[in-house]
Amino acid sequence: MAISEVSTQGSWIVVFDDHGKEKKRMGASNKQVVGVAGDFFVALEGSWIVTYDESCKEIKRMGNSNKTIRSASGTTFTTQEGSWIVTYDRNCKEQGRRGK
């Protein structure tokens, strides 16, 4: 099912489905939602970039050293890494890169 929104409400991160209904929630402690794509979302957790599915289950994580999340859309998210814009899939596997 597609994600329509992920929001932080108090101490919770709440995921809404494509019908606007609450799908799942998880604790927001030490987490910051930084991108929402069609079927996953991206959060910063300390020194990690973590992807989650619509049920708030962790998909994959990678270190965030030298990375800034730019956006998430469709099936990918992008980071800026120095002078590079790097695209990753939901499994944190690099899909491509280009100069800034």
Side-chain angles (χ1 to χ4, degrees):
M1 182 162 290
I3 296 174
S4 66
E5 180 184 2
V6 178
S7 64
T8 302
Q9 299 177 359
S11 61
W12 297 100
I13 293 173
V14 184
V15 178
F16 296 91
D17 67 17
D18 55 354
H19 297 291
K21 303 286 184 187
E22 183 178 317
K23 171 79 173 163
K24 195 73 175 178
R25 64 175 53 212
M26 69 179 186
S29 179
N30 196 36
K31 296 176 183 78
Q32 177 187 359
V33 176
V34 292
V36 179
D39 63 351
F40 72 98
F41 64 97
V42 183
L44 288 178
E45 292 182 35
S47 61
W48 297 99
I49 296 170
V50 185
T51 57
Y52 290 94
D53 68 13
E54 65 275 1
S55 296
C56 296
K57 182 179 177 209
E58 183 178 315
I59 300 168
K60 196 71 175 182
R61 66 176 50 218
M62 69 179 181
N64 72 359
S65 179
N66 228 13
K67 297 178 179 78
T68 303
I69 303 294
R70 291 178 48 103
S71 66
S73 180
T75 60
T76 62
F77 67 98
T78 59
T79 64
Q80 182 171 337
E81 300 176 27
S83 61
W84 294 99
I85 304 299
V86 185
T87 303
Y88 293 94
D89 68 11
R90 62 187 281 152
N91 296 305
C92 299
K93 181 178 178 193
E94 185 176 319
Q95 301 297 298
R97 65 175 51 220
R98 63 180 171 84
K100 181 178 173 199

